[in-house]
Amino acid sequence: MLFQPQPKCHQRVKALSWKLRINVTLTKLGEGANKMNKWIITATSAAMMAAVVGCKSSSNSDTPQVSDEITPQSISLSYLGRYSSGVFGKSAAEIPAYDAANQQIFIVNAQKGAVDVLDASDIGNPTLITTLTVESVATGAVVNSLAYRDGYLAVAVEAASKTDPGYVALFDAATLALLDSKQVGAQPDMLTFTPDGLHILVANEGEPNNDYSIDPEGSVSVLRLDGNSLAEIKTADFSAFNSQAAALRDAGIRIFGPNASVAQDLEPEYIAISADSSTAWVSLQENNALAKIDIARAAVIDILPLGYKDHGASGNGIDVSDKDGTINIATWPGLLGMYQPDAIYAYEVAGSTYLVTANEGDSRAWGEDDQAYWDGDASKGFVEEFRMKSLTDSRGFDRRVGDDLAPQLHALAEGALINPSVFAYCGATIADRGTCGDDDKLGRLTIAWTDGYRKDANGDPVMFDSTGNENVAGDRLMYDNLYAYGTRSFSIRDADGKLVWDSADQIEQHLASADCMLGSNRDILCADYFNSTHDEGDTFDNRSDNKGPEPEGITVGHLGKKAFAFIGLERIGGVMAYDITNPAAPFFVDYLNTREDWTTEDPETVLSSVGDLGPEGLVFISAEDSPNGEALLVIGNEVSGTTAVYQINQVLGK
């Protein structure tokens, strides 16, 4: 979370007193509100009263007296406005943060390698004020991420060569003056303040270079704030786990980079922090794990495997084909999903911490643009993606050389089989995959060839011959399970990483339903553009073979006594809202997707009217901090290059 400051009383009142009103409208909500008519009352006047009461005191104490906050029955989302960079497909709007004191939005513009600063005082029409560069920090450096708190803007700065150590820079949010900068690990990305404001944590992802010849160690830097200075840096690294590689693999943690130590293989992605500022959890996306960190000691205290989702179980179906011309959400025994969360968020219920994860999925893919790699030079990269039908083709791997066959896979075997006892439902036999590899079955699905094949006690592959018999002289692998990237869901876990709840197949099911509508006016049927991609038009079902709607960004907002999760869907786009007040029983409340044009093959040609494509980062703005007195969401859309603002309407009726 990008933690927001608490403005002084007069600032809150000024922000809310611009217009005193109660707008009452009647709307029909979808399935999250049981399709009943509900009264939606915007909360401006209630928030105004709370702010005024909070400024009154019966003594000389500066402690505000705050009235009880209104708790909505539910919420709905509506489009308010956007700022467009005018740049398509180059990540010109990624990670947002909000400064309530100065009513401005900060947004990472990766195309510039900088931060765009937007005037948000007229929140329905954000406008560009200036652009903040980081050339004063390091020559050729670029911005990866940012966070705001209490007048400070913290920026993660990647070095000109991403495998070199990067920086955390601290700016005065009002003047944009550089206050301090400190060197951290390689490729610093997501960063955040602790809730107590005493530290900044940054995830140093440490990705390898394109040919995997340099692979920095992943780490998390903990920087202590002292006034305007970054006074102390500690590093939570993974070197203590280098001797535990086998045990970690046995526990289900994916460690498989070529010639990589554990510390090199683990790539910190996103950080969530406990309410008491003592503990952090870091997503290790490619590794399908979380790291748990003691902040005071800057020490990794545990690495938590996330397990796998059984897509053969009822309710866990997915659409696996982009070539069948229809929506087919079905269960597939033997197919397991790797959770692999990108964004994570921590929130507290009854004194217990829970983690909300957006289960995007991600693969290792380095050297994929080097033909020498595909021609067989394994030193030039590492790519773990492979289609199921190519993995199990009876003709073996040779026909894929020079195209999409990873040389590391070719070194293991000349082909692969699937376990007939697991995949008998689609006609697999001991030496024949049956119809499992057909394009309308599992054939088109992108899977990880690094997982699922049978191994001996030493971790070496057990070999089979082409007739399906185990044979030390054989040249075939045997896959007992197939592993897909991501789970097309979001999850809630406890502080030890144990799964509490998962959205199962709800996201794809909603997108396929007659209740789901696209566009800011909700007048386009979602099912007509099911699992479309974000950078092209006329792409029905295009992403069914690879991560589907792709939940990526997530944030949580509190309204009264309720907590709501907002999940950005990277590919089809839009934001889903869930009531997560009860971590064991969340429920869907709304979905808004403000892409307007779904048919133009090249959306860049209609950029001024296409809407918002490719949500990346989200930030929640409370009503008391909002320029218009309403709770808001700000979303950075990397494909359309737009920074969109959604209003969160509170449903207060019975």
Side-chain angles (χ1 to χ4, degrees):
M1 175 186 181
L2 301 175
F3 291 93
Q4 308 300 336
Q6 295 297 318
K8 296 178 181 179
C9 279
H10 74 274
Q11 293 174 314
R12 292 201 302 268
V13 174
K14 182 179 180 181
L16 296 171
S17 64
W18 65 278
K19 190 175 183 180
L20 182 62
R21 74 200 192 284
I22 300 178
N23 293 330
V24 183
T25 59
L26 189 66
T27 187
K28 189 174 184 181
L29 302 182
E31 60 188 69
N34 299 317
K35 300 182 180 179
M36 295 174 63
N37 290 332
K38 303 291 183 180
W39 291 100
I40 299 179
I41 305 176
T42 58
T44 304
S45 59
M48 174 73 180
M49 292 167 48
V52 172
V53 172
C55 291
K56 294 179 180 180
S57 177
S58 60
S59 68
N60 293 325
S61 172
D62 291 331
T63 303
Q65 312 257 328
V66 181
S67 66
D68 290 337
E69 203 175 346
I70 294 173
T71 299
Q73 183 181 46
S74 189
I75 59 171
S76 68
L77 303 174
S78 58
Y79 169 71
L80 202 59
R82 70 170 61 89
Y83 163 74
S84 178
S85 67
V87 178
F88 179 86
K90 296 186 178 179
S91 298
E94 289 191 335
I95 309 300
Y98 176 69
D99 170 6
N102 296 293
Q103 295 190 346
Q104 55 190 5
I105 296 168
F106 304 101
I107 184 78
V108 173
N109 186 328
Q111 185 260 341
K112 297 178 181 176
V115 178
D116 284 340
V117 185
L118 310 180
D119 181 354
S121 57
D122 179 4
I123 192 61
N125 185 37
T127 55
L128 182 67
I129 302 172
T130 189
T131 297
L132 173 66
T133 66
V134 290
E135 284 293 318
S136 60
V137 178
T139 303
V142 297
V143 174
N144 273 348
S145 190
L146 50 76
Y148 172 86
R149 182 183 171 95
D150 291 344
Y152 295 113
L153 178 68
V155 179
V157 180
E158 182 180 302
S161 174
K162 75 173 186 177
T163 55
D164 289 343
Y167 302 84
V168 169
L170 189 68
F171 293 86
D172 183 299
T175 67
L176 301 182
L178 177 64
L179 302 174
D180 199 3
S181 66
K182 290 291 189 293
Q183 193 173 75
V184 292
Q187 201 185 9
D189 199 345
M190 189 270 178
L191 79 171
T192 186
F193 291 87
T194 54
D196 60 14
L198 298 179
H199 294 91
I200 297 170
L201 273 67
V202 61
N204 305 310
E205 191 166 2
E207 292 180 342
N209 62 351
N210 285 339
D211 65 0
Y212 238 100
S213 61
I214 303 174
D215 188 3
E217 293 186 355
S219 64
V220 176
S221 295
V222 181
L223 299 92
R224 181 173 62 83
L225 286 164
D226 185 6
N228 292 341
S229 301
L230 301 170
E232 182 184 28
I233 304 174
K234 296 180 180 179
T235 301
D237 64 29
F238 299 97
S239 57
F241 295 88
N242 283 339
S243 62
Q244 304 177 38
L248 292 170
R249 290 190 187 98
D250 289 344
I253 296 166
R254 306 178 75 232
I255 300 171
F256 59 93
N259 304 311
S261 67
V262 171
Q264 289 173 307
D265 200 74
L266 300 180
E267 298 179 359
E269 193 84 25
Y270 215 95
I271 304 169
I273 301 177
S274 61
D276 65 1
S277 300
S278 67
T279 307
W281 294 263
V282 183
S283 59
L284 306 171
Q285 187 173 24
E286 291 87 352
N287 310 103
N288 197 34
L290 298 175
K292 192 173 184 178
I293 294 174
D294 181 306
I295 294 176
R297 295 188 294 122
V300 181
I301 55 179
D302 207 353
I303 300 177
L304 309 171
L306 299 181
Y308 303 96
K309 184 172 180 174
D310 182 1
H311 288 301
S314 177
N316 283 348
I318 58 172
D319 190 321
V320 299
S321 176
D322 61 337
K323 296 295 185 182
D324 58 358
T326 189
I327 299 173
N328 181 25
I329 302 169
T331 53
W332 302 95
L335 177 62
L336 302 177
M338 300 178 286
Y339 287 95
Q340 297 184 305
D342 186 350
I344 62 173
Y345 191 102
Y347 77 117
E348 193 169 284
V349 178
S352 297
T353 298
Y354 294 90
L355 307 172
V356 191
T357 68
N359 305 320
E360 178 196 23
D362 198 12
S363 65
R364 293 275 167 77
W366 305 108
E368 55 189 334
D369 296 325
D370 191 339
Q371 189 57 46
Y373 175 73
W374 300 115
D375 289 340
D377 188 348
S379 70
K380 297 296 185 180
F382 187 87
V383 178
E384 62 164 322
E385 292 183 354
F386 210 42
R387 291 199 189 275
M388 186 273 186
K389 68 177 184 180
S390 299
L391 187 72
T392 60
D393 194 301
S394 61
R395 294 165 290 182
F397 292 157
D398 286 345
R399 62 188 295 272
R400 308 303 305 182
V401 172
D403 188 359
D404 59 352
L405 175 67
Q408 291 90 350
L409 173 59
H410 204 185
L412 290 176
E414 292 296 318
L417 309 168
I418 54 175
N419 189 330
S421 64
V422 176
F423 295 94
Y425 66 93
C426 49
T429 64
I430 190 70
D432 190 326
R433 69 187 184 190
T435 62
C436 299
D438 291 358
D439 282 355
D440 63 345
K441 301 271 190 323
L442 291 165
R444 293 286 300 174
L445 185 65
T446 299
I447 59 171
W449 64 259
T450 54
D451 299 274
Y453 61 84
R454 199 173 304 176
K455 300 176 183 177
D456 61 23
N458 297 319
D460 297 319
V462 176
M463 304 308 298
F464 290 75
D465 58 33
S466 60
T467 63
N469 295 309
E470 187 174 333
N471 186 341
V472 294
D475 60 3
R476 295 291 195 273
L477 303 173
M478 176 66 74
Y479 281 79
D480 296 313
N481 291 287
L482 303 174
Y483 289 80
Y485 298 103
T487 57
R488 311 187 187 191
S489 66
F490 83 99
S491 302
I492 297 179
R493 297 177 179 269
D494 67 15
D496 295 319
K498 182 180 178 181
L499 186 66
V500 175
W501 179 88
D502 183 77
S503 65
D505 62 5
Q506 290 179 20
I507 292 177
E508 279 194 312
Q509 291 287 5
H510 180 72
L511 296 173
S513 73
D515 294 325
C516 182
M517 304 299 287
L518 303 167
S520 55
N521 293 323
R522 305 183 189 242
D523 53 2
I524 305 167
L525 185 63
C526 297
D528 288 344
Y529 303 99
F530 176 81
N531 279 356
S532 289
T533 195
H534 52 21
D535 56 358
E536 299 176 87
D538 194 23
T539 57
F540 168 82
D541 213 24
N542 176 273
R543 296 296 300 179
S544 290
D545 62 323
N546 190 9
K547 299 188 287 187
E550 221 166 309
E552 180 179 17
I554 199 162
T555 192
V556 173
H558 292 270
L559 296 171
K561 297 178 181 179
K562 286 192 174 184
F564 295 90
F566 303 95
I567 306 100
L569 306 183
E570 181 180 7
R571 293 292 174 165
I572 192 171
V575 175
M576 286 204 156
Y578 272 76
D579 186 325
I580 60 168
T581 309
N582 179 355
F587 56 91
F588 171 81
V589 292
D590 202 13
Y591 171 62
L592 179 63
N593 187 328
T594 52
R595 179 175 180 178
E596 309 293 348
D597 187 319
W598 294 82
T599 59
T600 303
E601 291 190 10
D602 183 1
E604 186 174 12
T605 63
V606 289
L607 187 56
S608 62
S609 60
V610 69
D612 305 299
L613 292 75
E616 177 78 7
L618 305 89
V619 64
F620 171 82
I621 302 173
S622 67
E624 69 173 354
D625 288 340
S626 165
N628 72 349
E630 311 289 351
L632 305 170
L633 277 179
V634 178
I635 305 110
N637 297 280
E638 60 179 344
V639 174
S640 57
T642 55
T643 303
V645 183
Y646 292 0
Q647 184 164 296
I648 303 169
N649 305 301
Q650 300 189 43
V651 182
L652 303 180
K654 55 179 184 177

